[in-house]
Amino acid sequence: MRERIGRLLGSPVESVRDLGSSHAWTLHRAALADGREVFVKAASDQAGVFAAEAAGLRWLGEAGPGTPVPDVLATDDRMLVLPWLPSGAPAPQAAERLGRELAALHAGVRPDAYGAPWEGFIADLPLDNTLDGRGWPRWYAERRLEPFLRRAERHLSADDVRLVERVMDGIEELAGPPEPPSRIHGDLWSGNVQWTGDRALLIDPAAHGGHRETDLAMMALFGTPHLDRILAAYDETAPLSDGWRARVPLHQLHPLLVHVALFGGSYRASMVEAARSALG
């Protein structure tokens, strides 16, 4: 591993510290002879996941100056290397800055379609990123809800499945006012917000052209610190459409189906509640 990191970054590696594992990859902190410290994800069979994450981070960074994502230092078929980000306690000022920067990301250089020009993943599950110029509601139903409903189906009852199908059937009426595609993180739960003191950066994206409310709903799903401040700063910078709070469960339905598919029935009740709330 030292040789591989050193070759990718052009500097000898002095030390590598193991940080555990996540899904199918291992995590590491490496110190280089030139003084840099880097974060490394490594695996022998996750080339597609690493390529998608690297492409997503770079693509999000192209939305405009000040985009809150780290640089990609290097990637190959066995690892992804990012700068080491210092950890800090979530601070109110950093939360407000994140809200403004996330709004600028969503309103910045917009994609022409929903989806992305690379094969997508969320965790280590494939995401259908087929580019689609139609409106968001059908894209969300066909590319996000339907595939993951089928993946989660073995953990659900027939009534649960039909409930989600009702959401998909009524998606045009449930989705709210039309919105153009935004560059979104796509998996913005609290664990993918890295607080560094005066700023928060977004890591581990499932980036694609999507609906900006999706990122905000995901931040609410598992409790992001200072979320009220983030949302207030966001709405001040890029005002949200009327009724967006009522649509939060609709946008949470996909990640909850992902969790059912990954972790089983422990997330079933939350998924069912989100589907019922989405239907009103």
Side-chain angles (χ1 to χ4, degrees), residues 69-258:
V69 295
D71 294 330
V72 177
L73 300 180
T75 187
D76 67 6
D77 60 348
R78 292 193 177 185
M79 63 178 54
L80 172 72
V81 186
L82 307 175
W84 179 259
L85 301 176
S87 296
Q93 295 82 0
E96 291 169 4
R97 179 176 178 179
L98 175 59
R100 292 190 295 269
E101 291 182 338
L102 184 61
L105 165 62
H106 290 164
V109 179
R110 294 182 182 272
D112 295 327
Y114 298 97
W118 59 81
E119 182 182 3
F121 290 88
I122 188 163
D124 53 1
L125 297 179
L127 277 176
D128 184 353
N129 273 348
T130 302
L131 290 167
D132 192 329
R134 297 178 297 167
W136 178 80
R138 291 314 321 161
W139 178 87
Y140 182 62
E142 294 172 10
R143 307 292 184 187
R144 292 297 182 260
L145 297 183
E146 172 70 22
F148 283 89
L149 176 60
R150 300 312 158 204
R151 284 183 173 275
E153 196 167 13
R154 69 184 187 278
H155 303 294
L156 304 174
S157 70
D159 286 343
D160 297 339
V161 171
R162 182 55 193 150
L163 183 65
V164 179
E165 290 174 340
R166 284 176 57 204
V167 174
M168 293 190 289
D169 291 343
I171 192 75
E172 300 286 355
E173 291 73 35
L174 301 174
E179 290 249 358
S182 292
R183 297 183 191 225
I184 71 169
H185 179 282
D187 190 16
L188 196 48
W189 72 288
S190 59
N192 286 341
V193 179
Q194 179 70 35
W195 300 91
T196 64
D198 64 344
R199 195 181 189 200
L201 295 176
L202 311 182
I203 58 174
D204 293 347
H208 61 276
H211 197 304
R212 62 188 181 132
E213 291 176 12
T214 296
D215 275 351
L216 304 182
M218 189 68 181
M219 294 180 84
L221 185 54
F222 298 118
T224 301
H226 303 299
L227 182 59
D228 287 347
R229 287 179 178 263
I230 294 170
L231 295 175
Y234 184 105
D235 194 42
E236 182 179 332
T237 305
L240 290 155
S241 299
D242 289 345
W244 71 269
R245 291 184 185 276
R247 293 187 292 274
V248 166
L250 175 64
H251 290 269
Q252 291 177 342
L253 189 52
H254 170 245
L256 285 168
L257 284 168
V258 172

Side-chain angles (χ1 to χ4, degrees), residues 10-15 30-37:
S11 174
V13 175
E14 293 188 340
S15 66
L32 308 183
D34 62 13
R36 288 181 291 169
E37 286 194 304

